[in-house]
Structures are given as structure tokens and as C-alpha cells.
Amino acid sequence: MNTPDSNFFNPKDHVGQKESYLQNPTAFHIIYIDDISKSKITKLEAWKGAKDPNEVGDDRLNNSRIIREVNLNEDANTPQIQQFDQSVYKLTLKDNKDNYCFAFEYNDKLPFLRSGVNLPIPIKLGGKLIVKRGTMIKNGTLLLNRAQCQYLGVDESSTLVKNLNANLLEKSINILQNPDL
Amino acid sequence: MKVLCVAEKPSIAKEVTNILSGGKSVRRNSPSKYNSNFDFKFDFPGHGVCDVTMTSVTGHINRTDFPAQYGWGKVPPGRLFELPIEVKIDKDKAAIHRNISTEARNSTYLMIWTDCDREGEAIGYEIFEAAQKGNRSISFNHVWRSHFSHLERNHILNAARNPTGLDMKVVDAVNCRQELDLRVGASFTRLLTDALRGQKNIPSPVSYGTCQFPALGFVVDRYKRVKSFKEEKFWYLQADVEKDGQTAHFNWTRGRFFDRLYVITLYQECMKNPHGKIDSVTKKPTSNYKPYPLTTVQLQKDCSTFYKMSAKATLDAAEKLYTGGWISYPRTETDKFPRAMNLKSIVETQTQDSRWGQFARELLDGGFSQPREGKNDDKSHPPIHPVKFQKLEAIKDDNQRKVYEYVVRRFLACCSTDAKGFQTVATLVWGNEIFKATGLEVSELNYLKVYTYRKWSSSETLPPFQQGESIPIKFSEVKEGKTGPPNHMTETELIALMDANGIGTDATIADHIDRIGARSYIQKVKKGGSEIIVPTELGIGLIEGFSSINFENNISLSKPSLRKRLEVLLKEVETGRRTKDQALKENVDLYRKAFVTTAENQAILINEYKKYQT
């Protein structure tokens, strides 16, 4: 039976291929989410801030943030550029046969990663994602477009979801502080 | 009828006397060597010609302190949050106090000529109390408060003729701040000194200040971030095209990414196309905006950047220029000129200068434009501006000369027009990626002719691209870059940070920085032609000690939140939204809790401190 849950994607099968396309719709679980537009140190501070607001400069007493840096070259002439969303997410995915792969956001932004949750990562880990047939594969990674993704959310009762999200703050800080990673 | 006038400094008393008396005054010695008395006559509206005595104080006359029985070692430091305090005449100012009391004896009215800021208002009230001591019949209703922001003749005459009463809400705010600073400073200083006695590098006393520690906290935070910085690689795309023999560099609009594989993947997609397309070419007028009117903090930041002057040196020089009558009151948060102010008459005074006189004349010949308006208005002083013309050569002191020149150029720039030019932007679409190239053509310098501190010049012009044209990609690559460490702290940035976080006021920021230097918590170090601020081992140890303690509600003694809260409350006392007692109670409670936690966790503080001593 050809269902997303029975299909799989092993990046090793695509090594050496310049470009190919996903042959069948495939179900994945999202194992990790990384914003590749931000440096490690920026992400580390965001995680530390989520863990202990005082450490990086939240000011709960006055309901504001402590300003830790001032750009002195910025004078009245700095144009007021509308801050648009520069983030690009790289997902670590796992299919139902425990194959792991990377997937990048490609050409457009995936709306389910922009739900406005105020954590350093935008959604809970472990959610289920169906990647549709015809998605481009390049260098062994999936290039995701919004039309080809169907996000089904997290199953709170699953062990995977519980394990992935347990102590997420500490785990993320450890990973980002590890110089070998 | 006699009017006793009292200024905040001897130099102001002398200047105001010169103006009000028309140069006809008689000087008398007073019990205080530096605070002379001047007698003259002046016509006050509604009171006719009056006898006037003008004298001065030198800052506050009173001192807030704990009575001797609560001295060091006599009570547990924690009790200093509730024990009574006393306001006494500062013994160094006894002669000044006596002079005011004596001169008040046969005066009917008291006119306050202190600086028009928070402290000035409080000093005004101290002067009133001193006068009352000599003459009970001087009631609060007999106090005239003059409002002035510079020493130009008409402005001072106007201030003399239109006084108001003292604003007791402002006096309350100052008293509130004084009491809190005393209670918090004394209790924490005693606690820290006792706890850390015998440790390495420890001075005695280990002084704690509600502004100084957050300021030190910024210095330590930055130092640690610079020290722990590790560079990270990032990647981005670049594309060059050639037209009519001219090469144009296009920059990727997506910026940069910390994932090489991703950028290479996008590059591979681009490389499928040997050509890109010029999607649009726009040429639009652009402006380089003239600066906002000058505030104290901006003056300090700019003098630090342009002349490498310390904040305190800048403010000292500006103070001297103000008491000399050359510039307006230099402690102001206001960055918009009152609409009614006659700015052209100030421009007029500068037309005789050999450097910027021509520019000033051009402003009067039609080039004048109303200054931009910032969002800040402290309601007491206009932005800093020149008052009288002075030849630079005649100003002997280097710092004063620099500050005067800066104030004048900034003012003339504010009254001029924005610089104008044209910006050309070409957009290149290559595969799925978008790139942009820009060219700038400056057409009118305007304010930049006098504001020589800022540069804006034309760039190389772009080749004549046509919208829609297909163009071969001459050269392209995935470029690699590295992140750079944060900048070391400089005095300029520290001022800006304190200002942005509400630590201290424009008038006091420079003093706080100076004080943490004097206490050896920070040091200034020369680095690559500029001066940076780094913490000493003592400074790091103290901040890390405090940071290691878990305070309730995420408050922190080394971060600005508590002090900022105080500044907010003081503003509310000033505007009458809160009483002095309410504000004081809220703040004392917050600090008292933090004190208890600190006292309970002394061992942690000491251990953490030790880690940073070599």
C-alpha cells in the first residue's frame, strides 16, 4: 500500500545524483529545527534567555528588555528598513524507517514554522510532516516549498514527542555550547 | 523693598548681576570666601524699583545622612532601610548658609536663580529654608523662581520679570532619590565591605551605588562577551555583470547563511542560467538628513567620537561655556526647539566668524529651514545652542574650544537643509535569487558644508542598465565570511547604554562613569588609537558575585531594572501621579528584599568573587 506512512526517503540513495524528485509522498517526524540565518551565539542567547530571562537581559520589573548594545554608527540617516523575515529553517527529519535527512526551506516560507510561538524554535519538536511527491532533492537534502508540505502537528501522547521536548532548553544550550558540533 | 537673589554658582550670580544691574553693582564680601554678594537695583514688574542682593551657593547646602548613633558597626546594615535619617547643613557649606540667613533678614522676597533642573529645584528649597531661618516672614509665597536656560541678556531680563513658585513635586522627587540612594548605598556598602574584608584586591569601603553597579554590569557583560567570542563562518552569493566595459558588483538580497550546503544548493540552481535579467532600474532622489537639535547625551557621545573627550571633560567644558554666557544650559534632554524661539537671531550672531560666517549668512539669505523635531522634551531647557559669538582663537582652553565649535556647527546644521542626491538601484534576478547594486550621486551638500564631522560622497555610477535586459553573469561565487567579535565597550557606548536603559539622567551619567573608574571597578585602556573600557578583577568579581545570587522576581543588582524603576517612579512623583512616600516605599521594599537575599547568600558572593582574582 502506497501511503505517506509506508514510504521512505533515504538520502544515501541520492548521493551522486545532481538533482532528483521525491517519487512518493512521504511522512516524516521533525526531529530538530534550526534557523540557518542566525549565528550560534545569537541562538545560544535566545535559548539562555528562554531559560533565565535575567541572564541575557529581560527586564521583567519594567516589562521591557535591557538594551545591551547600541549601534553608534546609526544616526538619523539610517533608513527605517522594514524588518522582513530573514529566517530560513533547516529541518532534521526522520521517516518511518528511521532514515534521517535534512530539509531546507526553499523559495518560499513554510507557514507552519511561523505560528508566532515565542520560543527560540517556532514549534514543538516531533510533529508529523507529509512531504508530497515531486519535491526537489539536491545534494541529498529535500528542498521544501509550502505547496508540497502538509503539517499535521504533534501527537502529545507519543514517546518521541515527549523525549524530544523534554529538557529542550538544556539540551539546546549544550549542543550550541559544544565546540565540536 | 529688598529682594534676595540666590544663584547655584558664583559665576552665574556674577553674570546675572551684570545683566540685571546694567553693570552698576557693588560687590561685598560674604562669610563664604567664594560666594560674594552684589548689591544693585532692579525694576520688578508690579513692585517697582527694588534693592537687590544677589549671592550664590555652590550646589546643595544640606546633607542627608544617618545620625551618628547609626554609624558603621553600631547597627546591622539591614536596619538602614528603616532607621530615621536626618537632613543637616553640610558643614562645608555652613558659611554659605549663614550668609543667606543674614542677607534674608531685611528682605521681603527671595528669588531663586538655581539651574532649572531637578537638582536646581531642590537646592532652591534648601535656600528657602536657609532664608527662613534668618527671616520667618519669608513664607513659601514670597519665593520667586526664575526660569532660564542661558545667560543671554533679554532671556535673563525676561526670567527676572516672569518668575513662578518653586515646584514642590520636583523637590519631593529629589528628596526621594536622595533618601533611597543613602539607604541603599549605605546598607549595601557596609554589607559588601564586611563580607569581603580580607579578600584579595578589596578596597575599603567596597562602595555600592544604584547607578554605578548597573553601569559596571554593562562593562563586565561586554568584556565577557568579547573574551568568550568564537568566530563563526557564514556564506553568501555574489554576482558581477559587465556592461559597456564597466563591471557592476551585485549583492545578494538574502544576506548570509550559516549553512554552506544551503548556499551551495541555491548557487547550483542559479548556475543553470548563464544570464541574469535586470528586473528594474530606479533612480530616486535621496536625502542625508540633518541632525536633530543637540541634547546632553548626544553632545557627550559626539565629543567622545570626534574629539576623544571623556563625557565628564565634555560636560565640564560645556558648563564653563554656559557660565561664561557662550552657550545655553548644557544639561537637557530636549531635542526640539520651541516653535516661538527666534533661531534666526542666533544664526545672525555667528555671521562674523571666518569659518562658518559665510554659511550663516547664506542661511539668513534664504537657506534657513526650521530644525527637525525630536520626540524628547524635558519642558525646562531647549536643545543646546550657541548664545553669544566667540572667536575660537579667543577660547584658551582646548576642550572648551572644541565643544564651542561643535555646538555652533551642530546648531547651524540644524537650521540648514538636508543634503540631497540621487540613488540608483538596479535589481538583478539570476535563477531564483535576487541581487541589488546601488550608485549614489550627491547633488547638494547643504548642511554637510558646515557639519564637517559627517561624510557623504558620490559612489561610482552604475552602467546604463535597461529594465528587462538579459545580461551575462561575468563572475559569481559563493563567498565565505566570518562573524566578528562585539566591540569593546567605549565611554561613548556606555553613555548611550545608560541613557537607553534609563540609568541616571543626562546630568549624572558622566559622574557615575567617572566614579566607577575612581573606585577601580573599571579602567580605560588604549587600544588601536581609541580608548576602551574594561572591568578590573575587582569589578568582574563584584558583578559575578551578585550575578550568582538568585533574587526573587528575576531582579538583579548588577542590571539596570531596579534603577530604571526608580527613574520611572521619580518622573511620576514630578508629575504628581504618585506621592514621594508611595514611590519611596515601593523602591525601599524592592531593595530591602534584595538586601536580605544578598545577606543570606554572602558565601556564594565571596566564592564567586574569589574565582576572578589572580
Side-chain angles (χ1 to χ4, degrees):
Chain A
M1 198 173 68
N2 185 355
T3 66
D5 283 318
S6 65
N7 294 328
F8 62 92
F9 172 74
N10 188 346
K12 283 182 193 156
D13 300 340
H14 299 268
V15 172
Q17 289 178 13
K18 243 182 149 183
E19 195 173 292
S20 54
Y21 296 89
L22 196 64
Q23 294 301 313
N24 298 300
T26 308
F28 294 95
H29 284 99
I30 298 174
I31 304 301
Y32 201 72
I33 301 169
D34 187 21
D35 180 356
I36 57 170
S37 72
K38 295 195 174 73
S39 66
K40 267 189 189 180
I41 185 82
T42 309
K43 287 182 275 204
L44 185 62
E45 298 226 322
W47 283 107
K48 282 183 173 174
K51 184 168 174 251
D52 175 7
N54 222 2
E55 188 166 347
V56 291
D58 268 19
D59 177 359
R60 296 207 170 162
L61 196 58
N62 302 293
N63 218 357
S64 62
R65 269 194 81 74
I66 296 171
I67 299 159
R68 297 168 82 201
E69 235 163 287
V70 176
N71 182 359
L72 296 169
N73 297 324
E74 193 177 307
D75 55 31
N77 283 297
T78 313
Q80 295 294 315
I81 302 166
Q82 187 125 36
Q83 284 292 322
F84 60 95
D85 181 10
Q86 284 279 12
S87 59
V88 169
Y89 289 101
K90 176 184 178 178
L91 308 180
T92 307
L93 302 177
K94 186 180 81 155
D95 68 11
N96 283 332
K97 289 204 169 173
D98 285 356
N99 294 309
Y100 286 83
C101 72
F102 288 129
F104 290 112
E105 276 192 294
Y106 186 63
N107 284 347
D108 57 11
K109 307 266 180 201
L110 300 178
F112 71 90
L113 292 172
R114 287 170 179 77
S115 55
V117 174
N118 223 1
L119 252 186
I121 56 167
I123 50 168
K124 251 188 167 176
L125 296 178
K128 192 169 175 181
L129 177 70
I130 310 289
V131 180
K132 294 181 184 165
R133 185 169 178 260
T135 297
M136 193 194 281
I137 304 162
K138 226 174 157 92
N139 304 316
T141 63
L142 291 165
L143 301 181
L144 305 176
N145 286 328
R146 91 200 271 174
Q148 286 156 328
C149 290
Q150 186 186 2
Y151 181 64
L152 302 177
V154 289
D155 171 5
E156 299 280 359
S157 64
S158 92
T159 320
L160 178 76
V161 170
K162 283 180 192 155
N163 286 345
L164 285 173
N165 293 292
N167 300 320
L168 185 59
L169 291 171
E170 289 77 11
K171 279 192 287 194
S172 302
I173 290 169
N174 280 339
I175 292 170
L176 287 164
Q177 276 177 337
N178 186 336
D180 299 327
L181 293 174
Chain B
M1 194 177 82
K2 186 180 155 185
V3 178
L4 173 62
C5 295
V6 187
E8 193 167 323
K9 301 174 202 78
S11 51
I12 303 280
K14 203 172 156 196
E15 278 296 319
V16 174
T17 297
N18 274 339
I19 294 165
L20 300 188
S21 69
K24 290 180 211 145
S25 68
V26 179
R27 197 188 78 85
R28 277 186 292 121
N29 285 338
S30 90
S32 169
K33 193 175 161 195
Y34 300 106
N35 306 79
S36 301
N37 298 328
F38 300 93
D39 298 325
F40 57 93
K41 292 191 190 303
F42 185 76
D43 188 352
F44 287 97
H47 299 277
V49 176
C50 301
D51 289 322
V52 181
T53 294
M54 167 68 83
T55 186
S56 58
V57 293
T58 36
H60 284 278
I61 322 173
N62 293 344
R63 211 181 128 83
T64 309
D65 210 342
F66 289 103
Q69 68 263 36
Y70 306 138
W72 203 302
K74 293 178 181 163
V75 287
R79 289 205 56 212
L80 299 179
F81 284 99
E82 73 246 355
L83 288 172
I85 53 171
E86 61 182 10
V87 180
K88 283 195 300 198
I89 299 159
D90 189 334
K91 63 177 187 307
D92 297 338
K93 307 286 176 70
I96 293 175
H97 187 274
R98 201 163 61 244
N99 182 43
I100 293 169
S101 299
T102 312
E103 293 299 323
R105 264 179 215 151
N106 41 27
S107 302
T108 315
Y109 287 97
L110 171 67
M111 187 168 214
I112 305 293
W113 284 87
T114 51
D115 294 346
C116 294
D117 56 17
R118 236 190 231 165
E119 296 302 318
E121 210 70 12
I123 295 168
Y125 190 73
E126 291 172 16
I127 293 168
F128 163 60
E129 288 179 320
Q132 250 204 341
K133 209 156 225 171
N135 182 355
R136 285 273 145 218
S137 65
I138 297 183
S139 73
F140 194 69
N141 296 331
H142 291 82
V143 182
W144 298 341
R145 169 62 157 139
S146 66
H147 292 271
F148 64 106
S149 57
H150 56 79
L151 299 169
E152 188 272 325
R153 186 173 172 274
N154 287 325
H155 181 70
I156 290 297
L157 289 172
N158 196 41
R161 287 168 186 150
N162 297 288
T164 62
L166 271 178
D167 186 342
M168 282 312 288
K169 293 198 289 287
V170 178
V171 176
D172 279 349
V174 174
N175 291 340
C176 177
R177 201 259 314 142
Q178 284 173 329
E179 183 171 339
L180 190 87
D181 278 349
L182 173 67
R183 292 190 186 281
V184 177
S187 56
F188 274 97
T189 299
R190 292 185 194 183
L191 174 74
L192 281 178
T193 308
D194 290 343
L196 292 165
R197 185 168 288 135
Q199 300 294 335
K200 212 171 169 183
N201 288 331
I202 279 292
S204 187
V206 186
S207 169
Y208 180 89
T210 56
C211 282
Q212 293 143 43
F213 264 60
L216 174 61
F218 284 125
V219 177
V220 173
D221 175 57
R222 181 61 56 83
Y223 180 75
K224 281 170 61 191
R225 283 163 61 200
V226 174
K227 285 286 155 193
S228 65
F229 174 77
K230 287 194 184 67
E231 62 186 22
E232 292 178 54
K233 285 183 185 171
F234 57 78
W235 293 267
Y236 58 99
L237 300 182
Q238 194 169 343
D240 293 353
V241 301
E242 195 178 65
K243 178 152 189 191
D244 297 353
Q246 193 188 337
T247 303
H249 302 287
F250 279 80
N251 296 316
W252 197 22
T253 53
R254 299 235 257 169
R256 62 186 193 178
F257 291 97
F258 292 84
D259 193 297
R260 184 165 172 265
L261 180 62
Y262 178 68
V263 178
I264 285 182
T265 304
L266 299 182
Y267 185 56
Q268 287 169 339
E269 276 299 290
C270 289
M271 288 293 279
K272 290 177 180 170
N273 313 280
H275 285 74
K277 192 178 114 184
I278 298 294
D279 194 50
S280 65
V281 186
T282 55
K283 186 174 179 182
K284 282 185 185 160
T286 185
S287 297
N288 181 301
Y289 300 116
K290 61 185 181 178
Y292 280 105
L294 187 59
T295 63
T296 310
V297 168
Q298 197 60 45
L299 173 73
Q300 289 173 319
K301 275 159 59 175
D302 287 349
C303 285
S304 173
T305 308
F306 304 143
Y307 301 127
K308 311 280 174 239
M309 284 170 66
S310 76
K312 191 155 188 326
T314 301
L315 206 52
D316 286 349
E319 280 277 345
K320 293 265 163 54
L321 291 168
Y322 160 66
T323 50
W326 309 119
I327 66 169
S328 63
Y329 189 63
R331 294 169 195 258
T332 175
E333 292 171 23
T334 309
D335 53 9
K336 58 178 162 194
F337 282 105
R339 291 275 164 88
M341 199 165 154
N342 186 354
L343 301 177
K344 281 189 183 169
S345 68
I346 302 171
V347 174
E348 173 84 51
T349 62
Q350 297 293 336
T351 51
Q352 51 195 304
D353 188 82
S354 61
R355 294 167 184 84
W356 51 75
Q358 177 62 30
F359 186 86
R361 279 193 292 279
E362 286 170 17
L363 290 185
L364 296 175
D365 289 342
F368 178 88
S369 149
Q370 193 62 27
R372 297 169 73 189
E373 293 192 351
K375 293 193 183 102
N376 305 296
D377 190 350
D378 64 16
K379 307 270 188 236
S380 49
H381 297 289
I384 306 168
H385 60 274
V387 174
K388 277 194 274 187
F389 173 72
Q390 173 70 298
K391 269 190 182 164
L392 286 186
E393 294 74 15
I395 305 176
K396 293 283 173 283
D397 180 86
D398 276 355
N399 284 349
Q400 288 176 37
R401 191 166 53 246
K402 287 172 187 165
V403 172
Y404 183 74
E405 176 170 2
Y406 177 72
V407 169
V408 175
R409 287 186 183 274
R410 172 94 177 202
F411 173 75
L412 294 175
C414 285
C415 296
S416 178
T417 41
D418 299 337
K420 300 265 193 288
F422 293 94
Q423 191 179 41
T424 310
V425 181
T427 310
L428 170 76
V429 176
W430 182 32
N432 292 321
E433 302 307 314
I434 300 168
F435 299 79
K436 277 190 181 351
T438 57
L440 175 70
E441 191 189 318
V442 175
S443 54
E444 292 170 47
L445 281 172
N446 298 334
Y447 88 89
L448 289 168
K449 284 191 277 187
V450 75
Y451 200 65
T452 45
Y453 314 97
R454 199 179 273 173
K455 297 279 172 268
W456 200 51
S457 50
S458 299
S459 67
E460 209 177 316
T461 49
L462 293 179
F465 291 121
Q466 299 297 319
Q467 186 175 355
E469 75 176 304
S470 172
I471 198 153
I473 304 297
K474 187 188 169 205
F475 176 76
S476 63
E477 64 178 331
V478 173
K479 286 194 115 176
E480 183 178 295
K482 285 174 187 162
T483 57
N487 290 324
H488 269 291
M489 188 64 86
T490 58
E491 188 172 46
T492 316
E493 194 182 350
L494 188 53
I495 294 167
L497 277 173
M498 291 176 73
D499 184 45
N501 286 289
I503 303 302
T505 61
D506 52 347
T508 59
I509 286 174
D511 286 337
H512 296 310
I513 298 176
D514 203 49
R515 214 163 288 157
I516 54 175
R519 289 182 176 151
S520 301
Y521 295 165
I522 59 165
Q523 55 189 343
K524 292 182 176 174
V525 181
K526 287 254 183 269
K527 193 171 185 207
S530 59
E531 203 175 50
I532 60 167
I533 299 181
V534 294
T536 58
E537 286 181 356
L538 167 65
I540 300 182
L542 290 172
I543 291 297
E544 292 300 315
F546 273 119
S547 303
S548 62
I549 299 173
N550 280 324
F551 292 101
E552 225 179 288
N553 300 327
N554 281 314
I555 61 164
S556 164
L557 289 174
S558 51
K559 298 247 156 58
S561 37
L562 276 176
R563 180 67 201 201
K564 184 178 180 181
R565 181 78 195 136
L566 171 64
E567 302 283 354
V568 170
L569 289 177
L570 291 184
K571 282 247 158 77
E572 290 186 4
V573 173
E574 260 185 37
T575 52
R577 285 186 54 204
R578 222 177 259 260
T579 65
K580 176 193 159 194
D581 290 343
Q582 287 168 334
L584 197 57
K585 184 175 180 319
E586 181 181 320
N587 263 285
V588 166
D589 284 350
L590 282 168
Y591 276 104
R592 191 199 334 247
K593 277 186 195 154
F595 180 89
V596 171
T597 313
T598 310
E600 285 169 359
N601 291 284
Q602 285 180 52
I604 299 177
L605 193 135
I606 296 165
N607 276 338
E608 201 61 28
Y609 174 81
K610 279 190 198 160
K611 283 188 200 164
Y612 292 89
Q613 312 309 308
T614 53

